Amino acid sequence: MKVVGVSACPAGLAHTPMAAKALMKAGEKMGWDVKMEQQSAIGAINAVTKEEAQAADFVLIASDQKINHMERFEGKPTIRVDINMCIKAPAAVLKKCGAAVEAKRQK
């Protein structure tokens, strides 16, 4: 499965990179292609392009913050998850989100 997403927290210095790295590492172990952008006060790191977003199966937003440039994800299934859950149980988050997207496709 191909996943793109954004992690963001108020400062963007601790939870943001921790969540992004945890999700990408879990995705790699699962055989999934996961790219996570980190948004912080200093800007975006590892930015997701509109082309990458459109090629993804779904978009994962690991944040309760406002995310910049959400328009690039238009038309894609987008799931927002608490950033702490993405740090604590990244594989479970990916599996649950992937299952939800698949279930919706089959309807």
Side-chain angles (χ1 to χ4, degrees), residues 85-101:
M85 286 302 301
C86 295
I87 294 168
K88 292 176 185 172
V93 167
L94 289 172
K95 287 176 189 173
K96 190 170 184 176
C97 292
V101 169

Side-chain angles (χ1 to χ4, degrees), residues 3 5 12 17 22 24-25 29-31 39 41-43 46 48 52 56 59 71 91 97 100-101 103 107:
V3 181
M24 290 189 297
K25 190 173 184 179
K29 287 182 180 177
M30 295 166 58
Q39 287 188 8
I42 61 169
N46 199 32
V48 173
E52 290 170 325
V59 178
E71 67 278 357
C97 292
V101 169
K107 284 186 178 181

Side-chain angles (χ1 to χ4, degrees), residues 31-86:
W32 290 19
D33 181 6
V34 179
K35 179 177 181 178
M36 293 297 296
E37 173 180 314
Q38 300 172 44
Q39 287 188 8
S40 69
I42 61 169
I45 298 170
N46 199 32
V48 173
T49 66
K50 184 173 183 172
E51 293 75 23
E52 290 170 325
Q54 293 307 308
D57 292 297
F58 69 91
V59 178
L60 176 62
I61 304 298
S63 180
D64 62 357
Q65 304 293 304
K66 180 182 182 293
I67 301 299
N68 296 322
H69 310 295
M70 284 296 291
E71 67 278 357
R72 64 193 148 151
F73 305 132
E74 193 171 318
K76 300 306 292 184
T78 302
I79 302 169
R80 190 175 285 265
V81 180
D82 180 79
I83 196 167
N84 293 308
M85 286 302 301
C86 295

